[in-house]
Amino acid sequence: AQRVTQPEKLLSVFKGAPVELKCNYSYSGSPELFWYVQYSRQRLQLLLRHISRESIKGFTADLNKGETSFHLKKPFAQEEDSAMYYCALKSGGGADGLTFGKGTHLIIQP
Amino acid sequence: EAGVAQSPRYKIIEKRQSVAFWCNPISGHATLYWYQQILGQGPKLLIQFQNNGVVDDSQLPKDRFSAERLKGVDSTLKIQPAKLEDSAVYLCASSLVGGYRTGELFFGEGSRLTVL
């Protein structure tokens, strides 16, 4: 069965410090991974996907198949990065609903 | 562009009562999903529709939950009878062409259910 693990429920860092939100997955096939974000009083929305290898709002994430990880990183945190972050894994085939981790609440302190 | 619409936003019921949630996806989105998010957890997929057909309902508790998308647009999720453990936010999401190319789901604001 596929599973997504986010070991940190809460992560607090100071503005300007580096941020790393951890995500590990368990999946027997070829994984497709995503990070979703929910800012206060806003809807859950896509932040980035591993296949695009893009940087969004300064965040990047690299898929490491050897370590089955997809950690989210940003070199310099900003106060507006405070939010709930969810790592998600897409199942293969026709059913492509996402399996989400429990989420990490990121707080950026001034 | 109008987003995914859900109603009601909040609902409080007693256990063993029934409740229904409604979702209107983004226009043109063929795929619609219902997720359940219990406090402190990530969203859990309940059911996925492609147009008006069910693609995946493996995690839907079918003894009490039902969902339909009769005309391939709006959808309704029903719980009957409700249990205390059904207290959660019910999220509706939609995507283009099953979302398999982008993995981008567009979420509604959710319907928060409290079962007393």
Side-chain angles (χ1 to χ4, degrees), chain A residues 84-110:
Chain A
M84 280 295 298
Y85 290 81
Y86 295 93
C87 183
L89 170 68
K90 188 172 82 66
S91 56
D96 58 358
L98 299 176
T99 297
F100 285 87
K102 291 187 176 183
T104 297
H105 187 186
L106 177 64
I107 296 174
I108 307 300
Q109 298 190 50

Side-chain angles (χ1 to χ4, degrees), chain A residues 32 34 49 51-52 90 96, chain B residues 95-104:
Chain A
E32 288 189 54
F34 308 85
R49 63 203 111 196
I51 56 172
S52 300
K90 188 172 82 66
D96 58 358
Chain B
S95 67
L96 279 169
V97 198
Y100 69 92
R101 288 180 183 164
T102 68
E104 183 163 16

Side-chain angles (χ1 to χ4, degrees), chain A residues 11 13 17-21 59 72-77 81 106 108:
Chain A
L11 183 63
V13 302
V19 172
E20 183 179 47
L21 287 82
F59 283 99
L72 183 68
K73 299 177 184 179
K74 184 169 183 176
F76 307 103
D81 295 329
L106 177 64
I108 307 300

Side-chain angles (χ1 to χ4, degrees), chain A residues 7-8 12 17 20 29 31 38-39 48 61-62 64 66 70 74 80 82 85 90 93 98 108:
Chain A
E8 303 137 331
S12 179
E20 183 179 47
Q38 188 167 25
Y39 300 103
L48 56 78
D62 291 317
N64 185 323
F70 187 57
K74 184 169 183 176
E80 54 264 35
S82 295
Y85 290 81
K90 188 172 82 66
L98 299 176
I108 307 300

Side-chain angles (χ1 to χ4, degrees), chain A residues 43, chain B residues 1-9 21-27 29 32-34 73-76 90-94 106-111:
Chain A
R43 304 172 186 217
Chain B
E1 171 184 276
V4 175
Q6 290 189 245
S7 69
R9 290 293 314 280
F21 302 112
W22 172 83
C23 173
N24 180 242
I26 293 172
S27 177
H29 281 195
L32 185 148
Y33 312 80
W34 282 102
V73 180
D74 294 4
S75 177
T76 303
Y90 290 86
L91 294 166
C92 180
S94 68
F106 294 84
F107 284 85
E109 293 179 297
S111 294

